[in-house]
Amino acid sequence: MSDLATHQAKLAPLLARRNGSIVNLINGASVPAASGATFATTSPVDGSHIADVARSDAADVDAAAKAAKAAFPAWAAMDGKARKKLLHKVADLIVERAEDIALCECWDTGQAYKFMSKAALRGGENFRFFADMAPAARDGQSLPTNSHMNVTSRVPMGPVGVITPWNTPFMLSTWKIAPALAAGCTVVHKPAEFSPHTARLLAEICHEAGLPDGVLNLVNGMGEEAGRALSEHPDIKAIAFVGETKTGSAIMKQGADTLKRVHFELGGKNPVVVFEDADLERALDAAVFMIYSLNGERCTSSSRLLVQRAIAEDFQKKLIARVNALKVGHPLDPKTEIGPLIHQTHLDKVVSYFDIAKAEGASIAAGGHAIDGPGCYVHPTLFTNAKPDMRIAQEEIFGPVLTVIPFEDEADALSIANSVAYGLAGYLWTNDITRALRFSNAMEAGMIWVNSENVRHLPTPFGGVKSSGIGRDGGHWSFDFYMETKNIAFAMGAHKITQLGRR
Ligand code: NAD
């Protein structure tokens, strides 16, 4: 039976194994930054020191990119079935160590064990799913004409860079790295500076599973140093990035000189729209789950609740009771629903919106303050009486904070839903099928769930529109990013060639 004390006891040796340091993995070797520089990573639970992490600069990134370049030809040429076997081995090891991964992730990020235990296993599923796709990754089409047989195939792009954020870092890293490896690309991974622990575990697992040296390289460090160097490196053909919209824009500029292909999964201010004819109990469950799980530090969180005015008061009353009942606590306690936020600066940012809400004339119906004591804890918060143009209804807060906005009718709801810069996800609750079709067709979002919380099916496209991203992940969409399509045209006879200069 797991409880806080057992989890703490299990975490202690995992931290001790690090021996106070997290190093890079370049060409199969565990190495510190060439300069010897480090930065400290601390736990948001109590501010305690976890490890000194390699603070890589352009020289380390160059070594990793060179290793990825050298490993690329053999990895790309490896039979898809052999890649499949290796990637399944990675999945097996992730599943075997899922508890260790989850415990380290909770300590590093503050995310509750309740969710991280599932996220770790999901990392294994990501590897399994793309492992199974590896043998067919190159498949193409034949496009015949009368004179030529055109044969298309996909070829891996080359060494690619993967830059990941601090929220659910393990799961997100696997979601990017597994398809790149399955496609035949080699990878340099730069994880977020605030949550480097499980990226190191993933690199160790891949190494142990038998991935050849240089196929997956890990370079820790700051965004402006290691991240910038990776996105500027001439040997890196593409950057898969997950993070803030403004960082995506910076990476696009940094990668311009080397014509980087980019794939961006960026911010969101996703609406959950509840019509009066919906199954309101289920809508309530989903609305609460989608904003308050994972500390609200989730790109697909439903941070705006648009509720039809006729049912708004009653819905809000039930919502307040649910928010006040959420269990905030130690992330390693299996009963905890909300843990501490990632770091003090982020906590300060989230808390700053409480004053913004008041200044804008909205009400704070639940929460609205940080929790005293060690750790970056905040009360889950609910803003009511909000208007669509308020900052709390427009900006990504990225915490356990929900803004409620009532609407009159379908046209009003649609206009509010689309009134933000973002367009990642949307959630729609109604039992009117024609309205559901009409509304989801007009909603500006890359992904829409009707009468459902966010349930991912791995072959489906994942990504956003507007300021929420460029490109799609999932199934063959991932391969479209990590691979080039090549056409070979075979003449099928002696067709007439236009003759020049024949006298
Ligand atoms: P961030 O943009 O600050 O950092 C993300 C990564 O980029 C980190 O590894 C960081 O070191 C690196 N980085 C920073 N500056 C860089 C630069 N100039 N060049 C290269 N790399 C650089 O994001 P964050 O605060 O870590 O993550 C939270 C954000 O991620 C939120 O906006 C959230 O919505 C978004 N997110 C989006 C999705 C999605 O699927 N759309 C998923 C998860 C998170």
Side-chain angles (χ1 to χ4, degrees), residues 289-290 298 300-301 425 427 447 449 452-456 462:
F289 174 71
M290 280 314 303
R298 176 180 195 159
T300 50
S301 71
Y427 305 88
M447 298 169 289
W449 279 269
S452 175
E453 81 285 34
N454 170 339
V455 178
R456 283 278 297 124
F462 183 102

Side-chain angles (χ1 to χ4, degrees), residues 14-343:
L14 298 173
L15 295 176
R17 242 190 86 199
R18 291 286 136 229
N19 209 9
S21 93
I22 292 178
V23 292
N24 295 334
L25 188 87
I26 299 178
N27 208 18
S30 290
V31 286
S35 68
T38 59
F39 63 94
T41 180
T42 56
S43 174
V45 177
D46 56 6
S48 62
H49 178 262
I50 298 177
D52 292 323
V53 186
R55 183 168 180 159
S56 312
D57 59 22
D60 306 291
V61 170
D62 187 50
K66 288 208 166 87
K69 188 180 179 186
F72 175 69
W75 181 248
M78 184 185 275
D79 187 89
K81 285 190 204 131
R83 278 208 302 274
K84 171 178 171 175
K85 206 166 157 198
L86 278 172
L87 298 181
H88 268 294
K89 177 79 179 143
V90 173
D92 292 342
L93 291 176
I94 290 176
V95 172
E96 203 177 295
R97 300 201 194 140
E99 188 180 43
D100 294 357
I101 294 166
L103 293 169
C104 294
E105 191 91 307
C106 294
W107 192 242
D108 225 14
T109 65
Q111 298 277 355
Y113 184 82
K114 186 184 183 71
F115 302 113
M116 285 310 97
S117 52
K118 294 195 184 99
L121 289 169
R122 176 59 187 284
E125 274 172 46
N126 288 341
F127 264 90
R128 242 182 245 310
F129 174 80
F130 285 108
D132 285 337
M133 288 184 71
R138 294 186 179 189
D139 286 3
Q141 292 174 284
S142 71
L143 299 166
T145 67
N146 283 347
S147 63
H148 288 80
M149 174 60 72
N150 290 283
V151 177
T152 74
S153 66
R154 290 190 295 203
V155 291
M157 277 212 76
V160 298
V162 171
I163 302 179
T164 48
W166 47 257
N167 65 310
T168 50
F170 184 80
M171 198 287 288
L172 278 173
S173 302
T174 61
W175 176 234
K176 293 287 173 186
I177 292 171
L181 297 176
C185 294
T186 51
V187 175
V188 177
H189 179 204
K190 206 302 272 174
E193 50 272 43
F194 300 108
S195 55
H197 198 156
T198 54
R200 175 67 206 180
L201 291 178
L202 179 62
E204 287 171 0
I205 284 173
C206 288
H207 188 63
E208 200 181 317
L211 248 62
D213 291 350
V215 168
L216 172 65
N217 304 277
L218 170 71
V219 178
N220 287 284
M222 303 297 158
E224 269 298 322
E225 297 166 3
R228 172 182 275 275
L230 186 58
S231 59
E232 288 176 346
H233 201 286
D235 290 337
I236 297 295
K237 301 297 169 204
I239 295 282
F241 167 74
V242 186
E244 279 192 40
T245 299
K246 66 174 177 355
T247 314
S249 165
I251 288 175
M252 201 174 228
K253 290 182 197 124
Q254 293 160 196
D257 283 347
T258 48
L259 294 176
K260 286 284 180 294
R261 179 182 289 187
V262 291
H263 185 171
F264 291 161
E265 290 181 19
L266 310 173
K269 190 72 180 176
N270 312 299
V272 50
V273 184
V274 182
F275 284 95
E276 59 184 333
D277 67 339
D279 179 336
L280 297 178
E281 274 309 306
R282 295 190 68 241
L284 183 63
D285 282 340
V288 171
F289 174 71
M290 280 314 303
I291 180 66
Y292 296 108
S293 60
L294 303 177
N295 295 349
E297 296 168 318
R298 176 180 195 159
C299 57
T300 50
S301 71
S302 55
S303 50
R304 291 183 293 154
L305 169 64
L306 278 47
V307 56
Q308 197 153 19
R309 197 172 296 280
I311 53 158
E313 201 182 319
D314 195 42
F315 199 84
Q316 223 165 263
K317 212 158 51 186
K318 290 187 178 143
L319 191 55
I320 293 168
R322 292 284 287 274
V323 177
N324 285 328
L326 288 167
K327 187 169 167 10
V328 182
H330 196 294
L332 292 177
D333 182 340
K335 293 192 215 75
T336 290
E337 292 171 316
I338 297 184
L341 304 188
I342 183 76
H343 52 64

